[in-house]
């Protein structure tokens, strides 16, 4: 379990208030919404009402929709219904709904509602944070997948290189390894395995690993954290995600 979820909000140091608080815990309950420093005093009640609406929303019960159709009205219209200001919209959309750009604002609000509900459900399941990270690092994920796959009848071909991805009638049909072939309706692979005419670049992800000899400023009270920097706060086209880890997850020495 990752200890906490935080969002970056641009701020300036003040001679009266001292060093600006740049990282804020993401509120996910009505009580946290009323105490967070992310939202102005006037906007906290609107945020609380928004979270109550999300919690009570039931797609099968139109009475819970409160005269709002999430299938035809947009996420921007839902935010406007609760008079949420730009800063509140920014952290709800990016730090709770985990949207990496603002394109979701023009899409049906049901997608936003489902995403925020998922965040709240995950938080309720794990109490401190909605985020999980495998002990000993990401290599634990393929190991866990392998175990589950074996239990459910999956077959592994170890120490073999894939020579070709097979196609039939224009659709993927499996892979060839030497003289053997394995059929499958779906093939998940690195793009380097696919024919060049089947590869289309849709974007790029920049990854950086930083080794620190000190805690991250303003989140010193936790040993791990998920930090989200919304695009607007730093003038980028997409968000920046930071996962802070420690010996808690056995990725470094104590």
């Amino acid at each position: 379990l990752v200890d906490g979820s935080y969002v970056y909000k641009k701020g300036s140091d003040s001679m009266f208030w001292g060093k600006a608080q740049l990282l804020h815990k993401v509120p996910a309950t009505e009580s946290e919404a009323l105490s967070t420093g992310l939202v102005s005093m006037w906007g906290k009640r609107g945020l609380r009402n928004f979270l109550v609406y999300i919690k009570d929303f039931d797609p099968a019960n139109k009475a819970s929709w409160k005269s709002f159709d999430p299938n035809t009205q947009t996420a921007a219209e839902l935010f406007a219904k609760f008079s949420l200001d730009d800063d509140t919209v920014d952290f709800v959309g990016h730090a709770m709904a985990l949207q990496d750009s603002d394109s979701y604002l023009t899409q049906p609000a049901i997608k936003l509602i489902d995403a925020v509900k998922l965040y709240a459900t995950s938080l309720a399941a794990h109490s401190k944070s909605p985020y999980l990270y495998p002990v000993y690092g990401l290599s634990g994920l393929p190991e866990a997948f392998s175990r589950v796959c074996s239990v459910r009848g999956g077959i592994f071909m170890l120490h073999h290189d894939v020579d070709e991805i097979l196609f039939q009638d224009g659709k993927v049909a499996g892979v060839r390894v030497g003289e053997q072939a394995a059929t499958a309706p779906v093939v998940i692979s690195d793009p380097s395995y696919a024919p060049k005419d089947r590869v289309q670049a849709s974007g790029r992800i920049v990854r950086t690993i930083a080794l620190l000899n000190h805690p991250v400023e303003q989140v010193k009270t936790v040993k791990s954290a998920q930090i989200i920097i919304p695009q607007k706060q730093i003038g980028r086209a997409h968000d920046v995600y930071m996962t802070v880890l420690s010996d808690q997850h056995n990725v470094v020495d104590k």
Side-chain angles (χ1 to χ4, degrees), residues 7-62:
V7 63
Y8 172 88
K9 181 182 178 183
K10 185 168 55 179
S12 302
D13 294 348
S14 166
M15 64 180 297
F16 296 107
W17 304 108
K19 193 171 181 63
Q21 180 71 23
L22 302 178
L23 298 179
H24 301 262
K25 187 178 185 302
V26 178
T29 64
E30 302 95 290
S31 59
E32 288 183 349
L34 292 175
S35 61
T36 180
L38 280 167
V39 185
S40 67
M41 182 172 60
W42 297 274
K44 288 180 178 179
R45 187 160 298 279
L47 174 60
R48 176 191 176 279
N49 293 338
F50 172 81
L51 293 176
V52 170
Y53 175 84
I54 295 295
K55 183 181 70 173
D56 295 339
F57 180 86
D58 180 357
N61 179 14
K62 288 193 174 184

Side-chain angles (χ1 to χ4, degrees), residues 26 45 52 64 84 115 117 134 138 151 158 161 185 210 214 237 240:
V26 178
R45 187 160 298 279
V52 170
S64 68
L84 302 187
K117 267 187 170 294
L138 294 176
V151 169
L158 301 177
D161 293 329
H214 58 81
V240 176

Side-chain angles (χ1 to χ4, degrees), residues 55-113:
K55 183 181 70 173
D56 295 339
F57 180 86
D58 180 357
N61 179 14
K62 288 193 174 184
S64 68
W65 297 11
K66 306 295 184 184
S67 302
F68 182 90
D69 189 342
N71 298 307
T72 59
Q73 294 179 267
T74 65
E77 290 176 288
L78 179 60
F79 286 137
K81 175 181 174 68
F82 293 94
S83 302
L84 302 187
D85 60 25
D86 289 344
D87 284 341
T88 307
V89 168
D90 207 29
F91 91 75
V92 168
H94 294 269
M96 296 180 71
L98 300 181
Q99 304 298 309
D100 66 355
S101 72
D102 281 344
S103 60
Y104 78 96
L105 290 170
T106 58
Q107 297 173 4
I110 188 64
K111 296 181 179 179
L112 171 69
I113 293 171

Side-chain angles (χ1 to χ4, degrees), residues 5-248:
S5 174
Y6 297 82
V7 63
Y8 172 88
K9 181 182 178 183
K10 185 168 55 179
S12 302
D13 294 348
S14 166
M15 64 180 297
F16 296 107
W17 304 108
K19 193 171 181 63
Q21 180 71 23
L22 302 178
L23 298 179
H24 301 262
K25 187 178 185 302
V26 178
T29 64
E30 302 95 290
S31 59
E32 288 183 349
L34 292 175
S35 61
T36 180
L38 280 167
V39 185
S40 67
M41 182 172 60
W42 297 274
K44 288 180 178 179
R45 187 160 298 279
L47 174 60
R48 176 191 176 279
N49 293 338
F50 172 81
L51 293 176
V52 170
Y53 175 84
I54 295 295
K55 183 181 70 173
D56 295 339
F57 180 86
D58 180 357
N61 179 14
K62 288 193 174 184
S64 68
W65 297 11
K66 306 295 184 184
S67 302
F68 182 90
D69 189 342
N71 298 307
T72 59
Q73 294 179 267
T74 65
E77 290 176 288
L78 179 60
F79 286 137
K81 175 181 174 68
F82 293 94
S83 302
L84 302 187
D85 60 25
D86 289 344
D87 284 341
T88 307
V89 168
D90 207 29
F91 91 75
V92 168
H94 294 269
M96 296 180 71
L98 300 181
Q99 304 298 309
D100 66 355
S101 72
D102 281 344
S103 60
Y104 78 96
L105 290 170
T106 58
Q107 297 173 4
I110 188 64
K111 296 181 179 179
L112 171 69
I113 293 171
D114 288 343
V116 177
K117 267 187 170 294
L118 177 60
Y119 182 95
T121 301
S122 299
L123 182 63
H126 304 294
S127 70
K128 290 194 300 183
S129 165
Y131 299 109
L132 299 175
Y133 192 89
V135 176
Y136 300 110
L138 294 176
S139 61
L141 293 178
E143 290 179 5
F145 172 81
S146 299
R147 288 193 294 270
V148 174
C149 188
S150 296
V151 169
R152 299 190 178 185
I155 298 175
F156 291 86
M157 299 178 68
L158 301 177
H159 307 296
H160 285 74
D161 293 329
V162 173
D163 297 310
E164 181 186 6
I165 295 180
L166 303 176
F167 295 89
Q168 185 174 6
D169 299 328
K171 296 181 179 180
V172 69
V175 297
R176 179 178 64 83
V177 179
E179 299 300 320
Q180 296 179 301
T183 60
V186 177
V187 173
I188 301 173
S189 77
D190 185 275
S192 60
Y193 287 98
K196 291 184 177 180
D197 61 342
R198 298 276 181 168
V199 177
Q200 181 178 354
S202 59
R204 291 191 297 175
I205 298 175
V206 180
R207 293 186 176 93
T208 300
I209 298 175
L211 302 178
L212 307 178
N213 62 359
H214 58 81
V216 174
E217 190 70 25
Q218 299 189 353
V219 291
K220 292 181 179 179
T221 58
V222 297
K223 299 193 71 174
S224 60
Q226 176 70 26
I227 300 173
I228 298 171
I229 306 177
Q231 57 176 72
K232 283 184 179 179
Q233 301 295 324
I234 51 175
R236 293 176 61 93
H238 294 86
D239 295 354
V240 176
Y241 298 91
M242 297 172 58
T243 301
V244 180
L245 302 170
S246 66
D247 62 279
Q248 181 185 54

